[in-house]
Amino acid sequence: MINLEQLGVFLPQGFLFKDVNLQINTGDKIGLVGKNGAGKSTLLKLLAGWETPSEGKIHRGKETTIGFLTQDIKIDTTKSVFDYLKFSNETLNKLRAQIEDINLQLTTRTDYENASYLSLLDDLTLANEQFQLFEGYQWEEKITSALLGLGFKEEEFTKSLNEFSGGWKMRAELAKILVNEPTVILLDEPTNHLDIISISWLEEYLQKFAGVVITISHDRLFLDNVTKRTLEITNGKILDFPYPYTVYKAKREEELERLADAKKQQDKEIKRTEELIDKFRAKANKSAFAQSLMKKLDKTERIEVDSTTVSRMKVAFPLSVQPGKWVLEIDNLGKSYGDNKLFEGINITVGRGEKIALLGPNGVGKSTLLKRIMKSLEGEGSVTYGHNVEVTYFAQDQAEKLSTEKTVYETVDDVAVGEIRKDLRSILGAFLFGGQDVDKKVSVLSGGERTRLALCQLLLSPSNVLILDEPTNHLDMQSKEVLKQALKNYEGTFIVVSHDREFLDGLTNRIWDIENKHLKIHHFTVQEYLKRKSDAFTKKDGPKQKEEARIEVERQKEAAKNTLSYEDQKELKRLHNKTKNGVSRAEENITRLENEIEKMNAVIASLDYSDEAAANEQLAKYEALKHELDQTMIEWENLNNELIDLESKVS
């Protein structure tokens, strides 16, 4: 489907990667990983055709269509959310306009016997068939399903997209990509603006998706649930592993350990060789020997080791003072914005040492509830702090509140007190600020780096109650692990809002869930919570719709039996048998073509593109097989639909 040939990208500071040869096949589900700045987003832009490589080529199949979700989406439209998706498919737009135009002509003309009028009827039939082929009659149903799955409410479908935040626009863009079903879906951090329920829905969708998925994500569980292959960009290379993320990570750590041992041995040999060169270089009778050693050294391919291990340092949030047995007393808490009531009647006492995950879809008021608990927002009811309670709050925009004029070290030095000041550099190292990074100004840090620094600052601020609103946003996996371990070791109480399921797993001992404007308390695990929510979403309308569909089918069967004569029924059975045989032949052809394409995949992977004529011949053969398979699949689908229709009439 996509072949990368000698691909390279050169920047002023050097190559991001070079000499990359890679094949991406139909059905591949790939996780793209690497350090910040390694070139992950650049590779997606190259695959999407948004950028061109410095060298090499990208070969895409003729039938390849690409949907690309970027982090920096810019949507400016007065269209409603629903219409933004409804009119996003040009083929359906043209067919819809054609059908409307023909229908208009048919209603205004009276020359029913004219050949051109009859031709219009033929055109209408053809256009309707094409519209059905491209699932035009299921189009609105698909849009509704995608929007609901990604967290939109039905009453929001008619709202202008410009009324929504950037995060919700990203969801609309993602829904647009999914309903159009491109052959390749490229996703750059798709879970960043999704809530925990929507992430689960997206995972299920992508698992069933027949095309290629390539995704960048810091959500380990998302990668494990969606991908089966991992590409790592490191040291100017792209390494290919046939495993999902967690298996890849374990295999990669083993490989890095072997490489580290090999590098130590190689370094010893290089050092010994250099010593011999220095020893014999000045001696006339040994100069030739020294020269041969130098040539050997020049030809030696140096082993590079890119360590990705998480810092082993144990980091813990300091406890200021021991509070009383209860730390928060919430009495009849509520909040409304005009007629929009987010929540009401919350009454709960939070005890010392409780670890709480506050969950629920976006827009139900999670951040607002945290602000009410912090007393930074007015509303109904009251919050009382217990004896000796000292609360520290981490807001979603905490990173933006850092002073841009200070260095990384100065930022944490300002808040650190006591003995912990001796370990500031080690603590910064645990949050991936090593060496000269500590002297960087905050103004030059990326969003992820600022978030890490804000969390490090939080770590150094003594407290006994932590209120954390999306602390893992923009964090890489290493930093999330450091934060999770620190929270596990924390002796105080915390309430955390997060959509990162792996981060929450095993971290909390209860769940707060805002549902129907009230707070529900659950004591089961995050995974169990998600399963229950997913089951509830699936069952919401399913049984009713299935029952209605069953009744309609039975009604049609009965009606057909009552109206068909014996001869008509006999003809129906003949057509039924003929169509059934056609389905069997189509399935045999599909199997044959898939086997031939599988063999061709190996041929394409080893193509010599320097022989352009031969390469084009093989590529043309490959595309012809794929085209034949597509046509056979369409034939099989049409025959199947006919068979289902006939079976409903003859049974």
Side-chain angles (χ1 to χ4, degrees):
M1 179 170 282
I2 300 179
N3 287 289
L4 279 57
E5 179 196 359
Q6 298 293 306
L7 196 72
V9 173
F10 184 77
L11 301 177
Q13 60 268 34
F15 273 97
L16 272 178
F17 41 80
K18 63 183 298 188
D19 297 328
V20 174
N21 294 286
L22 199 64
Q23 182 175 346
I24 298 167
N25 301 309
T26 301
D28 276 350
K29 304 290 170 59
I30 299 171
L32 186 56
V33 302
K35 292 181 177 178
N36 290 341
K40 301 187 295 294
S41 295
T42 299
L43 181 58
L44 290 191
K45 290 174 182 176
L46 291 170
L47 293 172
W50 287 23
E51 294 183 2
T52 54
S54 305
E55 56 188 37
K57 296 179 180 178
I58 297 178
H59 304 275
R60 302 177 187 84
K62 291 180 181 177
E63 303 300 320
T64 300
T65 54
I66 294 176
F68 182 23
L69 183 76
T70 67
Q71 290 192 56
D72 51 352
I73 292 169
K74 294 178 181 177
I75 299 174
D76 183 12
T77 178
T78 56
K79 286 182 182 176
S80 70
V81 177
F82 195 89
D83 283 351
Y84 182 68
L85 273 68
K86 181 179 178 179
F87 297 106
S88 64
N89 188 295
E90 288 302 318
T91 300
L92 288 179
N93 288 346
K94 289 177 182 176
L95 287 170
R96 196 181 292 111
Q98 184 182 357
I99 291 169
E100 289 176 2
D101 179 59
I102 294 172
N103 279 324
L104 180 62
Q105 292 186 57
L106 290 174
T107 56
T108 55
R109 290 177 58 166
T110 56
D111 54 337
Y112 307 124
E113 302 300 325
N114 192 292
S116 64
Y117 186 92
L118 297 175
S119 177
L120 274 179
L121 292 173
D122 292 337
D123 290 344
L124 181 62
T125 301
L126 180 60
N128 276 315
E129 287 175 353
Q130 289 291 312
F131 196 69
Q132 182 175 2
L133 181 65
F134 286 98
E135 298 186 331
Y137 294 110
Q138 293 82 44
W139 188 236
E140 294 191 2
E141 184 183 337
K142 285 171 66 177
I143 291 171
T144 299
S145 177
L147 289 175
L148 290 175
L150 290 173
F152 286 93
K153 299 173 184 175
E154 285 197 55
E155 56 266 30
E156 295 175 326
F157 288 5
T158 55
K159 286 177 63 177
S160 167
L161 198 52
N162 273 349
E163 294 181 40
F164 290 87
S165 67
W168 284 98
K169 285 182 178 180
M170 188 281 289
R171 293 189 190 214
E173 186 69 17
L174 177 56
K176 185 181 82 170
I177 291 170
L178 299 183
V179 297
N180 278 281
E181 295 184 354
T183 57
V184 179
I185 293 178
L186 307 176
L187 304 172
D188 195 350
E189 296 290 358
T191 64
N192 268 3
H193 298 285
L194 297 182
D195 58 61
I196 203 164
I197 307 299
S198 300
I199 292 171
S200 294
W201 180 89
L202 178 61
E203 284 178 352
E204 289 184 18
Y205 181 95
L206 294 177
Q207 286 165 0
K208 297 172 185 174
F209 178 63
V212 171
V213 176
I214 305 177
T215 181
I216 300 168
S217 179
H218 288 139
D219 187 329
R220 183 193 298 260
L221 199 57
F222 179 79
L223 290 175
D224 279 344
N225 288 341
V226 171
T227 68
K228 302 295 181 187
R229 180 180 173 190
T230 301
L231 299 178
E232 179 188 356
I233 304 179
T234 179
N235 291 327
K237 301 174 184 177
I238 299 183
L239 308 178
D240 193 352
F241 299 86
Y243 316 109
Y245 182 84
T246 296
V247 179
Y248 140 77
K249 195 66 177 172
K251 300 278 187 185
R252 182 65 170 140
E253 290 293 345
E254 292 172 5
E255 184 180 315
L256 286 172
E257 287 179 12
R258 290 194 296 271
L259 278 174
D261 291 339
K263 187 178 188 319
K264 285 180 184 177
Q265 186 60 38
Q266 186 185 67
D267 289 345
K268 286 180 183 178
E269 292 176 4
I270 289 172
K271 185 178 179 182
R272 181 172 171 273
T273 302
E274 288 173 341
E275 288 173 352
L276 287 173
I277 291 170
D278 291 339
K279 182 177 179 181
F280 295 118
R281 170 184 287 164
K283 296 182 180 181
N285 61 337
K286 296 289 186 179
S287 61
F289 175 61
Q291 287 293 327
S292 67
L293 288 176
M294 291 171 67
K295 289 179 182 178
K296 178 185 175 184
L297 198 60
D298 289 339
K299 292 179 181 177
T300 300
E301 186 174 343
R302 306 294 175 104
I303 297 172
E304 296 181 69
V305 180
D306 185 12
S307 177
T308 59
T309 56
V310 177
S311 171
R312 302 298 178 193
M313 177 181 176
K314 290 186 177 179
V315 180
F317 290 99
L319 195 70
S320 54
V321 292
Q322 191 68 259
K325 288 186 178 180
W326 63 270
V327 295
L328 296 173
E329 188 169 353
I330 300 172
D331 181 33
N332 202 35
L333 208 66
K335 181 61 183 175
S336 301
Y337 289 98
D339 295 332
N340 181 22
K341 186 178 287 294
L342 290 177
F343 50 82
E344 62 182 353
I346 296 178
N347 294 281
I348 191 168
T349 299
V350 179
R352 183 176 63 205
E354 288 189 25
K355 320 293 184 186
I356 299 163
L358 175 55
L359 304 180
N362 284 353
V364 296
K366 299 187 298 294
S367 295
T368 303
L369 177 56
L370 294 187
K371 289 174 182 175
R372 291 288 348 258
I373 292 172
M374 288 300 302
K375 303 181 181 181
S376 62
L377 199 62
E378 295 296 324
E380 303 163 11
S382 63
V383 177
T384 306
Y385 295 163
H387 179 64
N388 279 341
V389 165
E390 294 182 7
V391 184
T392 298
Y393 176 50
F394 183 90
Q396 284 193 38
D397 60 350
Q398 195 72 28
E400 302 306 315
K401 298 176 182 178
L402 298 174
S403 171
T404 57
E405 297 304 313
K406 292 180 179 178
T407 66
V408 168
Y409 187 86
E410 288 169 345
T411 300
V412 295
D413 188 44
D414 283 349
V415 298
V417 294
E419 290 295 312
I420 203 168
R421 291 175 59 82
K422 297 176 183 177
D423 298 320
L424 285 186
R425 290 185 181 274
S426 297
I427 293 171
L428 283 168
F431 281 86
L432 307 180
F433 292 106
Q436 296 179 350
D437 290 340
V438 300
D439 297 319
K440 285 182 179 178
K441 293 275 190 182
V442 171
S443 58
V444 303
L445 300 181
S446 67
E449 288 171 329
R450 290 191 189 196
T451 301
R452 291 205 308 269
L453 182 58
L455 281 167
C456 190
Q457 190 183 55
L458 174 75
L459 176 104
L460 296 166
S461 305
S463 66
N464 48 37
V465 176
L466 292 174
I467 307 292
L468 308 171
D469 193 359
E470 294 287 4
T472 62
N473 273 2
H474 309 295
L475 285 189
D476 54 43
M477 293 183 191
Q478 297 181 25
S479 302
K480 281 194 285 188
E481 185 60 29
V482 171
L483 176 61
K484 183 172 181 177
Q485 290 306 316
L487 286 173
K488 275 188 170 183
N489 297 327
Y490 184 54
E491 295 178 7
T493 303
F494 66 75
I495 303 172
V496 58
V497 172
S498 176
H499 298 309
D500 191 314
R501 296 153 299 169
E502 189 199 27
F503 176 74
L504 292 174
D505 192 29
L507 182 63
T508 62
N509 54 25
R510 66 201 60 197
I511 292 171
W512 287 3
D513 180 17
I514 300 177
E515 186 177 297
N516 297 326
K517 300 179 175 51
H518 290 84
L519 187 70
K520 293 186 176 181
I521 313 297
H522 305 296
H523 294 276
F524 40 71
T525 65
V526 172
Q527 295 302 325
E528 177 65 17
Y529 166 83
L530 286 173
K531 185 178 184 306
R532 293 180 184 223
K533 286 289 184 180
S534 178
D535 290 347
F537 181 81
T538 303
K539 293 175 182 176
K540 190 175 181 181
D541 296 311
K544 180 182 175 182
Q545 291 172 349
K546 287 179 181 177
E547 180 63 16
E548 287 175 353
R550 186 190 66 77
I551 292 171
E552 177 61 20
V553 168
E554 291 299 325
R555 188 192 65 76
Q556 290 178 1
K557 282 183 182 180
E558 199 59 38
K561 286 179 182 177
N562 293 335
T563 56
L564 290 177
S565 67
Y566 171 77
E567 291 299 324
D568 288 338
Q569 290 185 32
K570 188 176 178 181
E571 176 63 16
L572 269 177
K573 287 181 180 178
R574 187 189 69 79
L575 285 173
H576 173 265
N577 293 335
K578 180 182 177 182
T579 307
K580 189 175 182 180
N581 291 335
V583 169
S584 298
R585 284 195 299 272
E587 287 173 348
E588 289 172 4
N589 285 333
I590 288 169
T591 302
R592 174 182 60 80
L593 289 165
E594 285 178 339
N595 289 335
E596 289 184 32
I597 288 171
E598 185 64 32
K599 292 176 184 176
M600 280 298 295
N601 281 336
V603 174
I604 297 298
S606 57
L607 268 184
D608 178 9
Y609 288 95
S610 61
D611 186 349
E612 192 170 342
N616 287 339
E617 182 182 348
Q618 293 296 333
L619 288 170
K621 183 179 178 183
Y622 185 57
E623 292 299 329
L625 283 171
K626 287 172 61 181
H627 179 71
E628 187 180 353
L629 177 61
D630 289 341
Q631 293 303 310
T632 308
M633 290 291 286
I634 292 171
E635 179 190 358
W636 174 84
E637 185 177 357
N638 290 337
L639 285 169
N640 244 318
N641 289 335
E642 289 178 27
L643 185 62
I644 292 169
D645 183 51
L646 288 166
E647 283 178 340
S648 70
K649 294 175 181 176
V650 300
S651 59

